[in-house]
Amino acid sequence: MIDMLFDQALGWLGYLQRPVVLEQLLLASLALVVAGSLRRRLPVPLPFAVRALPLLLLMALPLQLLGRPNGLVLLLAQVSLARIGLGLLERFVLEPRLPVDVFQHLRSRLLRPVFLLLVVLGLLNAVDTLSDLATVPLGVWFGSPVTLGTLSQVVVVLYLLVVGSVVPAAGLSWLSGRSLGLNKGSRRALELVLRYTMVSIGILWALYHLGFNRNGLLAVAGGLSVGLGFGVKEIFSNFISGLWLLFEGSVRPGEVLIIDGQPCEVRQLGLRATTLWRGSDNAELMIPNQSFFTSTTTSFTRSDRTRRCSLMLQVADRHGPRQIMEMLEAVAREHAGVLAEPPPKASLQDYGPGTFSYQLSFSVADPLKGGGVTSALRLEICETFAEQGITFQQPVA
Amino acid sequence: MALGLTLLAGCGLQRHSSLFLYEVVSSEALSVVNRAELAKLWAPLLNSYSQIDPGMKLEIMMFSEERITEELRRRQARGLGPDLIVISGVMANDLYAKGLVRRVTLPPYLEQALEPEVLGRVRVPGGYSALPVARAPEVSCFNRARMPRPPETLAELLSQAAAGRHVGLSLSPLGIWWSSGSLGADEALARLLTRRPGDTTPVAEADRRAIEGWLRWLHHAAMQNRVNFFNDAQDVNEGFLAGHLDWIPCSSLSLKRLRDGLGDRLGVAPLPTGPGGPPSTASQVRVVAFGLNSSPLQRRKAMDLVLLSLNPLVQRALSLSDAEVVPVNRYAPPPVASSATLKALVRSQSYVKSDALQSLALSSSDMRRISLVIERVLTPLVVGLGSTRQATEQLIEELPPR
């Protein structure tokens, strides 16, 4: 197959035997080199395509006047023009209207690759015919003849589906969320399920388009099952775990889990791993999906999003416990970050030599803010104790 | 970069040169034939040529007849046009008139060796618009499993239809013109088509009667349950391949595809004769035209290759290959004893008259115009609307003088 394609490409070099082709390439190369060298000499920095376009047109002019073919130079000028158009579209239409991450995703994953693909196809169609190249046979796969055209079509469609399904899936999940009253986490889960569904349908279409018959699919499945037993077991396990988590809804984007004692928010449920964000150090954790099946996970958002927090303190035994407990509950009640229901609760935990141990429990609405509220309460307790002349007592070891 | 490419061209490519060949086929053929199959058809010629020039490669590309003019304009403007274009004689003349192919001359010995009628189709002032390489006459194709013996006359064709065999005919000029010969109307039609613009001479009564007789037979045939008329030859071929039709007129250029579909069940025979004599069989001439962008070396090699293809031995080899065509070199008698199909082709070729539709030097736009008129006039007739008299008058009125 490679030999055949190489042989095909070698055949195109026959164009280089033609003076009319060589003179165009020479002039086009000259234009591109000059455009490159102008980069730092212009007072205003201009993109390469903007510098190259007028030079290419300038080079095409003498050929036109001499009645010589200049279509190759003009073809490169067209590519430059299209590149300028793409740049304008990105800069003045998309960038101001889209969030930064969406714009960058769209540009790097969709617009630029599609532009590059169209340029390559255009150049191939210039030296050959795409319809003929599409019929180049690549061999027989599982009893079905596969051509370069069908394979390329499948690769391009699958790529566009993987990259381009983001927007329609998000739109559908938003609509469903609005009509069904789903929360943010459920909407994001639905979005992922929709994307995986689209990609799965695309894969089935691809296999059908490639002409895979049932026997072929069974053979693939057989080979895959052997592979699963060895090399790709972990990957497959993580993939299935990811799908399971989505459908079960136990771990969804937006949920707050305790990982290594720290509350973390689930940001993205991927095919292989789940991405979590840890607020204490602004770190992103990539946790393999199967970890959620093999270890205990603490969630603060499984049935509701409130978190019960607590703090411990020791006070000298000369202060009455009832007075201390009322004071602690009053401080907690007055703090804006503490929920009124369930109410804050102080309790006497232990007697020590010269000290009493207390615990203050309270609820917060946002699990990720538990640490911040706890710290604020400690500060207010310190200030209140200082005003009342109450002293903390270090526990005696 | 250009310097590198120039050096590459100068050093490495001289030994391994390429010629770019465009094969221009109907849009029907374009959808079913691929490059690899075409390469096989050219293989015998390339094998012979490789003895002279071992490093030569032939890059084959396919285009439809509808697209070729536009493609040639675009590609030749880039210097990436073909060295050779395999095309029908009519289209080669069109391309020459548009300045898209160059005129060539033939050595006198070869001029004398080629069929004069075929050469006449591509003659232009000072030379030729292309060089003919093969003829592809129209024949009849039948399904041996359903029709053990092909009809030899029009009467037999209708009686076979009455006996339960399904016949397919197309309303395209080439699909129906043959029957005008069998019914003695071909010369009258040729006179109609070759009228000079502004010619007000009334059509001779004998010609009018001959044309009406031809239309009467078509009307009569259409009334048969198992005689089916289609708008174009592609539908007829599809119906034949699907097993819905047992007998159809077909071009020898489509024999390979039909054979791939039917295998040994495919039978090939000359088209039926009739009371007016032999059928006015159409014969497409495949010619090779020369592109404008070739380097001097490529021009020389392209001409060498075409001249080699006209060699009697190569012509015989081509007629025996999958191409199934009739040679244009008079000194290359086709080996009819080795192939029943070739025998049918040669016999059909002998029916081709000097006043055959494709010998009238009509341009492709003339053919399109004729095609539209024939379809417009004959469609009501074969579905039972209107009389043959009306259709005759309409045909005489609408077939436009060139």
Side-chain angles (χ1 to χ4, degrees):
Chain A
M1 181 185 86
I2 298 296
D3 288 351
M4 189 190 296
L5 292 176
F6 181 73
D7 202 39
Q8 186 72 60
L10 201 63
W12 299 332
L13 292 178
Y15 289 123
L16 298 178
Q17 295 172 329
R18 298 178 173 182
V20 288
V21 172
L22 288 174
E23 65 195 20
Q24 288 184 84
L25 289 177
L26 195 68
L27 289 173
S29 304
L30 187 63
L32 297 179
V33 168
V34 173
S37 66
L38 284 177
R39 186 181 175 189
R40 290 179 185 165
R41 295 183 187 174
L42 292 174
V44 182
L46 291 172
F48 182 76
V50 178
R51 283 176 272 137
L53 180 61
L55 291 169
L56 285 167
L57 292 174
L58 197 66
M59 292 298 175
L61 191 62
L63 292 172
Q64 182 76 33
L65 294 174
L66 291 170
R68 308 281 291 172
N70 62 356
L72 265 182
V73 184
L74 291 176
L75 178 67
L76 291 175
Q78 282 174 1
V79 172
S80 301
L81 189 63
R83 180 65 188 82
I84 293 169
L86 177 68
L88 293 174
L89 175 78
E90 287 175 0
R91 187 164 176 192
F92 295 109
V93 179
L94 299 175
E95 198 171 5
R97 287 173 173 77
L98 295 174
V100 176
D101 56 337
V102 174
F103 169 69
Q104 283 178 349
H105 179 88
L106 194 68
R107 184 173 64 177
S108 63
R109 304 278 175 87
L110 192 65
L111 292 177
R112 298 276 174 96
V114 166
F115 176 76
L116 189 65
L117 179 71
L118 291 177
V119 169
V120 170
L121 289 179
L123 292 176
L124 279 177
N125 202 39
V127 296
D128 208 298
T129 58
L130 290 180
S131 53
D132 278 3
L133 283 176
T135 64
V136 171
L138 296 181
V140 177
W141 297 357
F142 303 104
S144 304
V146 176
T147 62
L148 187 60
T150 48
L151 185 67
S152 309
Q153 208 176 10
V154 161
V155 169
V156 169
V157 169
L158 280 183
Y159 179 80
L160 290 179
L161 207 56
V162 169
V163 174
S165 60
V166 176
V167 176
L172 275 174
S173 73
W174 181 80
L175 276 177
S176 308
R178 287 283 298 250
S179 54
L180 299 173
L182 300 177
N183 62 23
K184 188 182 169 190
S186 300
R187 278 210 306 270
R188 291 179 74 172
L190 182 64
E191 180 186 331
L192 279 176
V193 171
L194 284 172
R195 275 195 69 195
Y196 291 155
T197 308
M198 285 183 201
V199 174
S200 304
I201 291 172
I203 290 170
L204 286 176
W205 169 85
L207 292 172
Y208 174 77
H209 194 67
L210 282 173
F212 273 37
N213 53 30
R214 285 181 189 168
N215 293 337
L217 287 175
L218 286 174
V220 171
L224 208 59
S225 60
V226 174
L228 289 177
F230 296 99
V232 294
K233 183 170 83 76
E234 295 298 320
I235 294 172
F236 197 72
S237 169
N238 282 317
F239 174 70
I240 293 295
S241 302
L243 287 179
W244 189 272
L245 290 174
L246 274 176
F247 284 111
E248 191 187 50
S250 53
V251 175
R252 287 178 298 197
E255 288 211 8
V256 177
L257 307 176
I258 297 296
I259 305 292
D260 299 332
Q262 296 278 340
C264 302
E265 184 183 359
V266 178
R267 281 286 169 89
Q268 192 181 9
L269 204 54
L271 274 178
R272 188 192 70 79
T274 300
T275 308
L276 293 97
W277 173 71
R278 189 166 62 200
S280 60
D281 55 357
N282 194 29
E284 283 193 324
L285 312 179
M286 305 286 286
I287 301 188
N289 289 331
Q290 64 172 336
S291 306
F292 297 105
F293 284 82
T294 54
S295 60
T296 305
T297 309
T298 305
S299 169
F300 285 112
T301 47
R302 184 80 182 97
S303 52
D304 63 49
R305 290 188 65 82
T306 61
R307 177 181 174 186
R308 194 75 178 165
C309 305
S310 62
L311 58 88
M312 301 287 293
L313 68 164
Q314 285 84 37
V315 180
D317 58 4
R318 65 176 179 274
H319 306 294
R322 202 171 296 279
Q323 177 203 0
I324 296 296
M325 285 160 61
E326 282 172 4
M327 203 178 293
L328 289 173
E329 285 175 2
V331 169
R333 271 197 303 274
E334 285 166 16
H335 191 275
V338 174
L339 290 173
E341 282 296 330
K345 181 73 182 166
S347 55
L348 181 62
Q349 293 285 308
D350 204 1
Y351 314 107
T355 64
F356 289 152
S357 299
Y358 299 91
Q359 182 185 36
L360 174 62
S361 301
F362 54 92
S363 296
V364 292
D366 186 344
L368 291 174
K369 291 183 177 165
V373 174
T374 306
S375 167
L377 281 179
R378 283 201 175 106
L379 181 63
E380 286 184 26
I381 289 167
C382 282
E383 288 169 356
T384 307
F385 280 13
E387 284 170 13
Q388 301 292 329
I390 299 169
T391 53
F392 289 98
Q393 187 76 34
Q394 288 300 320
V396 178
Chain B
M1 184 180 77
L3 187 63
L5 291 173
T6 312
L7 287 174
L8 193 63
C11 305
L13 294 175
Q14 291 301 326
R15 283 186 295 117
H16 300 284
S17 56
S18 298
L19 286 183
F20 295 90
L21 180 144
Y22 289 4
E23 182 95 27
V24 182
V25 294
S26 66
S27 43
E28 173 206 6
L30 196 65
S31 60
V32 291
V33 181
N34 64 38
R35 182 183 286 191
E37 287 172 354
L38 273 181
K40 278 185 202 164
L41 295 183
W42 283 93
L45 176 60
L46 277 182
N47 287 342
S48 303
Y49 189 78
S50 65
Q51 293 170 9
I52 312 166
D53 183 2
M56 217 275 288
K57 262 175 69 59
L58 200 58
E59 296 298 319
I60 301 173
M61 301 179 207
M62 291 195 300
F63 294 93
S64 70
E65 288 170 345
E66 290 79 19
R67 272 182 53 206
I68 186 62
T69 306
E70 180 201 334
E71 287 289 344
L72 278 178
R73 278 214 177 95
R74 192 163 56 92
R75 288 168 186 266
Q76 295 195 142
R78 292 174 181 163
L80 304 176
D83 300 300
L84 297 166
I85 308 154
V86 182
I87 198 168
S88 71
V90 174
M91 290 212 71
N93 289 338
D94 276 3
L95 295 181
Y96 178 74
K98 289 170 183 164
L100 295 172
V101 295
R102 64 189 167 89
R103 186 182 60 207
V104 287
T105 53
L106 265 180
Y109 79 91
L110 209 51
E111 214 161 21
Q112 183 263 330
L114 298 182
E115 294 281 353
E117 183 268 326
V118 172
L119 265 183
R121 296 195 197 186
V122 285
R123 185 171 285 121
V124 293
Y128 299 95
S129 62
L131 297 183
V133 285
R135 288 176 293 177
E138 202 176 22
V139 286
S140 72
C141 293
F142 60 99
N143 188 333
R144 288 179 192 280
R146 299 265 307 144
M147 189 182 268
R149 203 175 62 82
E152 291 184 2
T153 64
L154 289 179
E156 273 183 45
L157 179 67
L158 294 188
S159 63
Q160 292 253 28
R165 276 71 187 234
H166 293 270
V167 171
L169 295 170
S170 80
L171 290 179
S172 64
L174 291 180
I176 210 157
W177 184 272
W178 62 271
S179 60
S180 70
S182 308
L183 291 154
D186 54 335
E187 291 176 10
L189 283 168
R191 275 192 287 275
L192 204 59
L193 288 174
T194 50
R195 277 185 301 176
R196 298 256 172 223
D199 185 353
T200 53
T201 315
V203 174
E205 191 54 34
D207 286 354
R208 195 181 294 270
R209 274 201 306 276
I211 293 169
E212 192 176 347
W214 173 54
L215 295 180
R216 192 177 302 114
W217 183 86
L218 289 175
H219 179 66
H220 176 60
M223 293 303 107
Q224 304 271 326
N225 272 342
R226 295 183 186 84
V227 178
N228 306 284
F229 281 84
F230 297 83
N231 277 338
D232 57 50
Q234 184 175 352
D235 293 339
V236 177
N237 285 352
E238 294 299 332
F240 186 62
L241 279 170
H244 302 142
L245 299 172
D246 305 319
W247 185 97
I248 60 167
C250 57
S251 164
S252 69
L253 293 175
S254 56
L255 284 182
K256 184 177 183 312
R257 186 183 165 218
L258 297 177
R259 199 180 299 287
D260 287 346
L262 267 79
D264 292 339
R265 285 177 297 152
L266 177 69
V268 180
L271 288 159
T273 58
S280 44
T281 306
S283 177
Q284 294 189 50
V285 177
R286 294 300 281 175
V287 302
V288 181
F290 294 79
L292 304 177
N293 295 141
S294 311
S295 67
L297 183 70
Q298 284 172 325
R299 284 185 184 203
R300 186 172 60 73
K301 290 190 174 187
M303 181 54 93
D304 287 349
L305 188 70
V306 176
L307 292 182
L308 181 66
S309 75
L310 295 171
N311 175 292
L313 286 175
V314 177
Q315 285 265 296
R316 273 170 69 90
L318 275 176
S319 65
L320 281 172
S321 71
D322 282 349
E324 298 190 295
V325 288
V326 176
V328 291
N329 191 320
R330 288 192 284 180
Y331 301 121
V336 290
S338 57
S339 161
T341 300
L342 200 53
K343 190 176 176 182
L345 292 181
V346 171
R347 196 164 150 215
S348 292
Q349 185 62 47
S350 72
Y351 290 155
V352 177
K353 298 178 187 171
S354 60
D355 58 358
L357 184 60
Q358 288 177 318
S359 306
L360 299 178
L362 301 169
S363 68
S364 53
S365 59
D366 286 335
M367 288 296 283
R368 275 195 295 277
R369 226 161 41 218
I370 294 166
S371 185
L372 286 174
V373 171
I374 286 185
E375 193 181 322
R376 190 164 57 238
V377 174
L378 295 193
T379 302
L381 188 70
V382 299
V383 297
L385 299 171
S387 66
T388 50
R389 184 80 195 167
Q390 282 174 334
T392 306
E393 294 306 321
Q394 198 183 348
L395 203 62
I396 290 171
E397 179 69 27
E398 292 193 17
L399 268 187
R402 286 182 294 148

